[in-house]
Amino acid sequence: MRLHHGVRLAVVLGLLATGVACSGGDGSGGDGKVQLTVLSHYGSDPAKAGLDKMIAQWNQENPDVQVKSEVVKFDDLLTTLTVRQTGGRGADIVSAYGLWGGQLQKANVVAKVPDDVAQKIKASYSPAALGAVTTGDTLLGYPTELNTYALFYNKKILAAAGVTKPPATWAELADTAKKVAKRDAKGNVQVEGLSLIQDGDNKSAHPFLSLLDAAGGSFLGEDGTAQFAGEQGKAALGLEADLAGAKATDPSIMPTKQFRSGGVAMAIQAGWWVGSLKTQMAGKYSDVGVAPIPGPAAGSKGSLAYGFFMGVNQRSKHPDEAWKFLTWLNEHQGSAGVTGMGEYLAGMGLIPPRTADAATLKKSLDDPNLVPIYDAAEYAMPEPNLAGAYEAKTALHNAIMTVLADGKSPDEALTQAAKAVKPQ
Amino acid sequence: MAAAPGRGGIHRDGRAAYLFLAPALLFFCVFLVLPFLFAVVLAFSDWGGFDLGTIEFAGVSNFADVLRFDGSFVRPILVNTLLFAVGSVTLATFGSVLVAYCIDRLSFQGFWRVLYFLPVVATVVAIGNVWKMMYQPAGLINGVLNKLGVNSIGFLSDSSYALPAVTVVHAWASIGGAVLILTAGLKAIPEMYYEAAEVDGANSWRMFWQITLPLLRPSLLFVLITQFIGGLQSFALIIVMTTDGGPVNSTNVAAFEMYQQAFKFGAWGTASAMAMVLFVIILAITLLQLWIARRRGEETS
């Protein structure tokens, strides 16, 4: 019957269409060229233009291995990675936040770094950069971005309160924050003393972890157990609770929005902020000072370092070519005696994770505010990136917020957060 | 006259009917049944996403984890979800009955319906961002409160206010759709009942309670069920207005936590177990609503 033929035809066409849709390419062009894809969050300039320029150079020099850049916003990166990988269409090279490293490794996304490449990486990168892209003993790929935390302050606001130099101890930090904080009669914050929260994914956890590091504490143990609920953690969160109680810090204030207009006197923030502030504050950028994050006692200081890495997908059909490209990308020489990647990262206001690049660039830094940020790479606590680290950081953030927003006791909050952390 | 059934049991018309149904059924199977079955499998598994070959059977451990009373899912997340749904449905239903009843007595009814329907057409992102700005410490609402001598309220930064603040916005945004359905319900009420009541000397209030509301019940039931299901599954507005379900999980709801567990933490088993728990809750509440309505003799189909 005609009807049956029609149905059969529809089913066959449907299956064919599904087959075509589901089949991934083999990454080879019809002319024998290898095609590699790089998935990253470098979707807007100057990051996009810089990466595209390096890829164009590679493509010109290596006609047999052509690289294509695929970009998404940072907020969509992990979701895109998950969906594409699950659907069998993952990129050959993935750029990922170090914190996700444990999850990506556990789920067989990132391939093992070849021994010769691993040796080169271990010999050439700073401890903070290596720590931020290593899970257990496993290196996940080439460290790319590296960010450390520092104390940003508005010189003008501090000077108006009679403070001429940045705080060097927790007592000075608290005194200064309380002295400069201002509210109007209706309770609206006019100047926040010290911001302990930020926009984006890191929320309140990174400022707290920087203070924790300054007190000599640590976040997670090697097995993923919570280490932050000890005496140092309680002291660091106690300092935050004291500032919240005195209304010198307020979680409703976002420093990335209010610092530039003089609404925040001090903020514990990551180094990338320098580039943003320069653009946003223009002439008023000279009011910005950057200092190390102080510890409880004079001379102590701390910071947190987080990184990104570029690794090869375990399902890539061309891992050798992918590593070859990544090695070139991270090692080829640019101008001014630094690698092309180092130049690219420094151009965006980031610390190049390669020790030699950082040392060379540090000699000619045009902005003194970058010095404490570069220095912090030597002592910052690398952000742990075990499989459960992201969830642990979220639990920690919630605990900190119960203190800052709800006035809960630091000890109780940290104990509860520690219970929520699952050892791996 | 209908064609005689063939030997296979399905007559020619039946085959044609199935053929016409096939695309819809195929769509339903591929995009609803298969994902649902996959979620059921994942709820009893440990899977970090990415690689289907790494799915491991985990028994009921995900459910045990999710339903722990000292965990965060039952309290505050499930409690938030129910409060959010109940709060927004209650506000939206009261609001929409009031608005629909008023519109039914006004001139230019089309204009008023369009006005109240606008939030339904606008994207959640736009609505969320506008209200987020209005809730800011220096925003419009606090400005008005300050003028009235009331100190600023951290609507989205204070954990005691955040959930009610978001619930109000969700209810406000849902009124338009409900008004449309209720207006249709109002139009279906025969005018003769009101005329008879008027002859008997009933006032407007009595007519509303004893004629409008009882005869509007089928439309109200539909609005209640659909809005409640929507409220229990909602999370887009919360992401827009609070970013992370904060402060301190105070606006975290089940659908948002599932998203976090799956896409952020790579805990697909936990996320699927949460989905199953929410599914059972929604099913139970919907069946309960239908049962109550049927006991009262309502036609719901």
Side-chain angles (χ1 to χ4, degrees), chain A residues 2 5 51 59 65 80 84 105 118 134 142 161 175 208 220 226 261 274 277 291 302 305 363 397 409:
Chain A
R2 182 172 288 188
H5 288 307
L51 186 63
N59 285 343
V65 182
T80 308
R84 286 192 52 172
Q105 191 206 10
T134 303
Y142 269 98
D175 284 348
F208 167 77
L220 299 175
S261 55
V274 167
L277 289 178
K363 286 178 202 158
H397 163 70
S409 100

Side-chain angles (χ1 to χ4, degrees), chain A residues 1 3-4 7 75 78-79 81-83 85-87 100 103-104 106-109 184-189 200-201 203 250-253 258 314-315 387 390-392 394 397-399 401-403 405-406 416 419 422, chain B residues 12 15-16 19 46-54 65 68 70 136-138 142 146-154 157-160 243-244 246-249 252 257 259-268 270:
Chain A
M1 267 177 80
L3 198 66
H4 286 168
V7 173
D75 289 345
L78 186 57
T79 314
L81 238 163
T82 310
V83 173
Q85 190 78 7
T86 311
W100 308 335
Q103 288 171 227
L104 299 181
K106 189 181 169 191
N108 296 333
V109 176
D184 66 14
K186 302 293 178 197
N188 297 311
V189 178
D201 205 41
K203 301 163 189 165
D250 189 312
S252 70
I253 303 295
Q258 275 125 314
Q314 233 182 63
R315 292 195 205 167
Y390 201 173
E391 200 170 355
T394 303
H397 163 70
N398 284 330
M401 289 303 289
T402 60
V403 174
D406 287 357
Q416 200 172 340
K419 272 190 203 165
K422 298 170 197 159
Chain B
R12 188 186 171 89
R15 281 200 298 269
L19 190 66
D46 183 18
W47 188 48
F50 306 107
D51 187 348
L52 294 168
T54 58
D65 214 22
R68 270 190 307 133
D70 60 342
Q136 287 303 305
N142 270 318
N146 289 171
K147 291 270 182 211
L148 296 171
V150 179
N151 280 0
S152 294
I153 295 170
S157 59
D158 187 323
S159 54
S160 347
T243 314
D244 63 348
V248 203
N249 269 338
N252 196 356
E257 184 62 15
Y259 169 79
Q260 286 213 115
Q261 289 289 337
F263 286 100
K264 278 175 75 176
F265 309 146
W268 286 79
T270 310

Side-chain angles (χ1 to χ4, degrees), chain A residues 316-364:
Chain A
S316 170
K317 292 189 170 62
H318 307 286
D320 294 342
E321 287 83 354
W323 282 116
K324 200 175 157 194
F325 166 70
L326 274 184
T327 304
W328 175 87
L329 184 71
N330 289 280
E331 294 186 1
H332 78 277
Q333 284 299 304
S335 57
V338 295
T339 62
M341 187 56 129
E343 204 172 54
Y344 166 69
L345 294 167
M348 292 190 287
L350 301 166
I351 309 172
R354 185 176 278 268
T355 319
D357 285 352
T360 308
L361 288 165
K362 202 175 159 186
K363 286 178 202 158
S364 56

Side-chain angles (χ1 to χ4, degrees), chain A residues 72-212:
Chain A
V72 290
K73 283 189 295 179
F74 172 70
D75 289 345
D76 300 326
L77 185 58
L78 186 57
T79 314
T80 308
L81 238 163
T82 310
V83 173
R84 286 192 52 172
Q85 190 78 7
T86 311
R89 302 184 71 83
D92 296 283
I93 295 165
V94 292
S95 170
Y97 177 20
L99 184 68
W100 308 335
Q103 288 171 227
L104 299 181
Q105 191 206 10
K106 189 181 169 191
N108 296 333
V109 176
V110 282
K112 182 181 179 293
V113 182
D115 290 344
D116 56 328
V117 179
Q119 271 177 7
K120 279 200 257 185
I121 295 173
K122 284 175 186 167
S124 314
Y125 287 83
S126 69
L130 287 172
V133 302
T134 303
T135 294
D137 295 328
T138 309
L139 184 66
L140 303 164
Y142 269 98
T144 48
E145 281 182 47
L146 175 68
N147 269 293
T148 59
Y149 277 75
L151 180 71
F152 286 70
Y153 59 97
N154 187 314
K155 293 176 195 168
K156 217 170 170 178
I157 295 175
L158 263 57
V163 181
T164 51
K165 56 179 187 173
T169 63
W170 280 2
E172 287 179 22
L173 189 68
D175 284 348
T176 308
K178 289 172 190 172
K179 206 182 272 185
V180 296
K182 269 188 202 164
R183 281 175 187 252
D184 66 14
K186 302 293 178 197
N188 297 311
V189 178
Q190 289 182 316
V191 177
E192 186 187 26
L194 172 64
S195 171
L196 294 166
I197 188 166
Q198 50 182 290
D199 300 312
D201 205 41
N202 303 315
K203 301 163 189 165
S204 62
H206 283 190
F208 167 77
L209 290 173
S210 302
L211 289 168
L212 178 69

Side-chain angles (χ1 to χ4, degrees), chain A residues 259-270:
Chain A
F259 186 92
R260 60 192 183 218
S261 55
V264 175
M266 297 185 285
I268 294 177
Q269 257 287 19

